Amino acid sequence: MENVVVLIVGAGPAGLATAACLSQFSIPYVIVERESCSASLWRNRAYDHLKLHLAKEFCELPHMSYPLDAPTYIPKNLFVKYLDNYVERFNIRPKYLTSVETSTFDNDQKCWSIVAHDMAKSTLVRFTTKFLVVASGENSTENIPMIPGLRSFPGDVIHSSSYKSGKSYSGMNVLVVGSGNSGMEIAYDLATHGANTSIVIRSPIHVMTKELIRLGMTLARRLPLNLVDNLLVMAANFIFGDLSRYGIRRPKVGPMILKLETGRSAVIDVGTVGLIKKGIIKVKESISEIMGDIVEFQCGRKISFDAIVFATGYKSTTNIWLKNSESMLNGNGLPIKEYPNHWKGENGIYCAGLGRRGLAGIAADAKNIANDIISVIGAMSG
């Protein structure tokens, strides 16, 4: 049994940022991670050409800036290097291959009791802690929708987290399901590598340029969001024209307010829209069923595909191992309270990186959590 002051679950950017903020106050902590490395999603499950969608000033973790010569939009490999330097700078030593099995609040002892599986040694480890930080992410496990007949599909079926490059799909008919940033970027990558690419776009989406989003986030510090949204939508309409005739509808709510209210991001165009306009990438509506290699769409059209890529996001697995967290998380493992009060529950439980506010949200959560823990410790010892 190991008794610790703070236990952080997850060594992605949220866990690392929280660890760094705690170390600024010299608060001892232990950080556990089920994978064999930190930030495994970025390291192992991100496609090769990925860049951060937001300008670097919105993507820093607390207490460490990017190098001065870093580009405005940080590529994946440079971000991973930044995280490695971050781990070194703050001397963060995660216990890797340690998967939390259960976590419950002990009312008598007024502490959290955690059982974890040390996968390297095949043993169980037990912790007790006053403060528990859930930093295991909303992107814990792949979300693939249940489509009738999907199991009968003979070709490649992969989730976007396994997608690396379109090289191996040249000349093949590939369907991308999901029109968020991952889906649109993967469709572009496939098409530029010579795949006959189609993409399912079901929901309305805001298509923006990365410069427009940077402008919007900068203006949002000074101006009302509805005004910023009006400017962004006008500019996007000017740049892209009316996309509804290509199967892309714009939501009624503006991009900044939509992000604030639902966590849904605008799509930052990397060239996909141009290829859709030229007919190189074909837009499809919802799938009704799959029969072998034939995909039937809701319009009744049937098309044969060699591969399907699901860019349908992730879901949180927190509720599987975390009990007694009803004060903080809902049934989907996401915060009950609205941003910016989402990061704290009762009995010393916190969550970092679940506010759907990207890396800037992670940095804010980490600072809030460390400040709150130091004030609670101060009150206990005072």
Side-chain angles (χ1 to χ4, degrees):
M1 176 75 76
E2 195 176 338
N3 187 18
V4 300
V5 179
V6 184
L7 184 74
I8 302 169
V9 181
L16 301 178
T18 306
C21 289
L22 291 171
S23 66
Q24 296 294 294
F25 293 126
S26 303
I27 298 170
Y29 65 85
V30 166
I31 180 167
V32 296
E33 167 57 55
R34 69 178 183 185
E35 304 291 340
S36 58
C37 59
S38 64
S40 68
L41 187 68
W42 293 91
R43 228 179 275 276
N44 305 330
R45 292 199 274 169
Y47 37 97
D48 295 344
H49 65 267
L50 177 75
K51 284 186 177 163
L52 296 187
H53 295 129
L54 302 180
K56 62 184 176 184
E57 65 263 30
F58 301 109
C59 297
E60 286 185 350
L61 296 185
H63 312 298
M64 188 173 125
S65 295
Y66 287 102
L68 286 172
D69 60 352
T72 304
Y73 296 92
I74 307 282
K76 164 190 159 173
N77 55 355
L78 197 61
F79 183 62
V80 169
K81 192 165 179 252
Y82 169 76
L83 292 177
D84 287 339
N85 293 341
Y86 196 82
V87 166
E88 208 169 300
R89 159 87 71 93
F90 297 104
N91 195 24
I92 303 168
R93 307 255 174 100
K95 290 180 186 285
Y96 293 120
L97 295 170
T98 303
S99 171
V100 175
E101 307 277 309
T102 61
S103 175
T104 50
F105 185 70
D106 185 329
N107 248 318
D108 300 331
Q109 302 294 320
K110 296 284 177 261
C111 68
W112 290 88
S113 175
I114 291 102
V115 178
H117 178 216
D118 180 332
M119 292 182 268
K121 297 180 185 157
S122 290
T123 56
L124 289 179
V125 237
R126 294 170 198 278
F127 300 95
T128 56
T129 184
K130 276 275 180 242
F131 304 102
L132 178 62
V133 181
V134 178
S136 47
E138 53 196 348
N139 294 348
S140 315
T141 186
E142 293 89 0
N143 178 40
I144 293 187
M146 301 290 289
I147 295 172
L150 178 59
R151 283 167 186 256
S152 73
F153 186 77
D156 260 10
V157 176
I158 65 164
H159 186 266
S160 57
S161 58
S162 308
Y163 181 89
K164 293 295 177 202
S165 161
K167 279 182 199 146
S168 53
Y169 295 100
S170 181
M172 293 167 76
N173 293 333
V174 185
L175 178 64
V176 179
V177 181
S179 54
N181 277 302
S182 297
M184 295 290 258
E185 286 184 32
I186 287 169
Y188 178 79
D189 189 58
L190 284 163
T192 53
H193 280 100
N196 302 316
T197 309
S198 300
I199 184 167
V200 171
I201 302 182
R202 292 174 307 172
S203 314
I205 50 173
H206 280 293
V207 180
M208 296 275 147
T209 65
K210 58 184 191 290
E211 293 78 16
L212 274 182
I213 291 295
R214 188 185 191 188
L215 174 69
M217 290 185 75
T218 308
L219 291 176
R221 292 168 168 169
R222 300 269 179 273
L223 298 173
L225 281 188
N226 59 345
L227 180 59
V228 176
D229 273 346
N230 288 341
L231 288 169
L232 292 182
V233 169
M234 274 167 54
N237 285 338
F238 178 73
I239 293 165
F240 296 107
D242 177 14
L243 296 178
S244 61
R245 57 189 155 143
Y246 302 104
I248 299 172
R249 294 166 296 129
R250 198 176 276 293
K252 290 184 172 58
V253 179
M256 303 293 282
I257 291 174
L258 192 69
K259 176 72 180 163
L260 192 68
E261 289 179 350
T262 67
R264 274 176 51 213
S265 299
V267 169
I268 294 168
D269 182 51
V270 293
T272 317
V273 170
L275 296 186
I276 288 171
K277 285 179 171 179
K278 287 178 183 161
I280 294 169
I281 294 174
K282 293 164 186 68
V283 173
K284 304 293 176 201
E285 52 187 55
S286 296
I287 298 170
S288 55
E289 69 172 316
I290 296 171
M291 297 151 291
D293 66 347
I294 304 290
V295 176
E296 183 177 346
F297 297 95
Q298 289 198 324
C299 61
R301 264 197 92 185
K302 296 176 181 174
I303 302 171
S304 164
F305 288 97
D306 302 305
I308 304 174
V309 181
F310 282 97
T312 39
Y314 299 84
K315 51 194 175 192
S316 166
T317 54
T318 307
N319 281 351
I320 297 170
W321 56 265
L322 181 61
K323 306 292 172 258
N324 314 118
S325 66
E326 302 82 8
S327 64
M328 186 175 75
L329 301 178
N330 64 21
N332 296 322
L334 294 172
I336 292 167
K337 290 183 197 153
E338 293 290 306
Y339 178 90
N341 306 309
H342 60 287
W343 53 274
K344 183 181 179 182
E346 291 166 10
N347 300 321
I349 191 169
Y350 303 91
C351 63
L354 293 182
R356 297 189 293 191
R357 292 292 176 286
L359 291 160
I362 282 172
D365 288 352
K367 289 177 188 168
N368 283 332
I369 290 166
N371 288 336
D372 197 71
I373 289 174
I374 194 76
S375 70
V376 172
I377 290 172
M380 278 159 51
S381 56

